[in-house]
Amino acid sequence: MIDRLIQRGITPVIPPKRNRTTRRKTDFSLYRERNLVERFFNKLKQFRAIATRYDKLKSTFLAAVQFASIIILLN
């Protein structure tokens, strides 16, 4: 699985299990940033209009995402 990611030019950032016999290098600063992005998207999905995509137009949906992002960042 990791080999396929590397062939596609993707850097795996999830650290391996501690009891693994062959250790894999991990960039923990990149992993920390990835975690922040994932947590932000999880907070964004808490807004029902964004999770279910009520808006039919791209511009209205983008405005809803921007509005929800502002609310998340202000809290």
Side-chain angles (χ1 to χ4, degrees):
M1 180 86 143
I2 298 295
D3 296 332
R4 280 191 265 158
L5 291 175
I6 293 172
Q7 286 174 354
R8 292 176 58 192
I10 299 171
T11 305
V13 294
I14 299 174
K17 294 174 85 174
R18 290 187 187 266
N19 61 354
R20 193 176 172 100
T21 56
T22 57
R23 301 296 291 170
R24 184 175 68 231
K25 289 184 75 173
T26 305
D27 186 4
F28 284 102
S29 62
L30 191 61
Y31 178 68
R32 194 173 301 124
E33 290 177 19
R34 176 182 176 268
N35 187 14
L36 284 174
V37 171
E38 282 187 10
R39 288 188 354 221
F40 178 76
F41 275 108
N42 286 334
K43 288 179 186 177
L44 196 59
K45 288 179 187 177
Q46 297 299 314
F47 289 85
R48 186 174 179 204
I50 293 171
T52 56
R53 180 123 192 225
Y54 285 138
D55 302 315
K56 299 212 183 290
L57 298 175
K58 278 194 287 187
S59 60
T60 333
F61 181 70
L62 178 62
V65 169
Q66 289 173 340
F67 183 69
S69 299
I70 290 170
I71 291 174
I72 290 170
L73 292 174
L74 286 179
N75 282 337

